Amino acid sequence: MSPRIGFGFDIHRLVPGRPLLLCGVRFDHPLGLLGHSDADAPTHALMDALLGAAALGDIGHLFPDTDPKWEGADSIRLLEAVVALLREHGWTVGNADVTILAEAPKIAPRVPEMRRRLAAALGVPDDRVSVKATTMERLGPIGAREGIAAQAAALLEPLPPPCN
Ligand code: MG
């Protein structure tokens, strides 16, 4: 098996009265992301990148938002479940690169914490996980702070065969 690459995208609406979680890190912000789970958009984009690389569908198929089981779900736990599924299919994570598109809050100060959270869930060292952020220069709905989007790319490597 050769290494495999995958790409993921997600967007959620910002609303009052919800906590803001990005890459498993809670931000002190007046608005939070709306969704069935905790609506952690960058973690969702990362899961879709991983599932895409393995051609194993997407998170909507794995964790349907019609299932009450996933209501308010911690997306880091879902990411761990995706990593376990990948392992069952003979894959381990090579590296991942996540970009958050948000006008606010300031992401940069929390990046080391976010990388640690994701790397721990992926079971890889922190230096294999990148988290970046950009604003939309006040353009469009993200620029108007109506939502936060995220993109992710991930590389999967074949697990070494078990040695007996
Ligand atoms: Mg989502």
Side-chain angles (χ1 to χ4, degrees):
M1 290 202 293
S2 307
R4 299 268 292 256
I5 191 166
F7 178 77
F9 174 82
D10 196 27
I11 186 165
H12 283 266
R13 190 180 290 275
L14 279 167
V15 295
R18 290 267 302 181
L20 178 61
L21 278 144
L22 299 170
C23 303
V25 171
R26 191 171 173 153
F27 283 74
D28 186 17
H29 194 60
L31 304 173
L33 294 174
L34 182 64
H36 187 65
S37 68
D38 63 9
D40 183 338
T43 303
H44 292 184
L46 176 57
M47 286 191 272
D48 269 355
L50 294 165
L51 291 168
L56 285 171
D58 59 38
I59 54 168
H61 155 89
L62 221 59
F63 312 113
D65 64 7
T66 47
D67 189 338
K69 191 166 139 190
W70 309 120
E71 196 175 336
D74 176 346
S75 294
I76 294 292
R77 295 283 96 80
L78 303 184
L79 177 59
E80 287 167 352
V82 166
V83 171
L85 179 71
L86 294 171
R87 289 190 80 82
E88 281 170 29
H89 284 81
W91 297 108
T92 182
V93 178
N95 74 297
D97 184 17
V98 178
T99 300
I100 299 166
L101 297 87
E103 212 62 31
K106 276 257 171 279
I107 308 288
R110 309 294 299 278
V111 160
E113 211 179 323
M114 295 161 101
R115 291 177 64 200
R116 274 200 301 277
R117 279 296 261 149
L118 295 180
L122 295 174
V124 301
D126 296 4
D127 67 1
R128 290 191 182 212
V129 179
S130 158
V131 175
K132 316 191 296 296
T134 183
T135 71
M136 290 292 285
E137 296 288 337
R138 284 181 274 154
L139 290 165
I142 294 169
R145 303 178 185 218
E146 290 171 22
I148 288 179
Q151 301 176 333
L155 188 80
L156 296 182
E157 291 170 347
L159 275 169
C163 31
N164 299 311

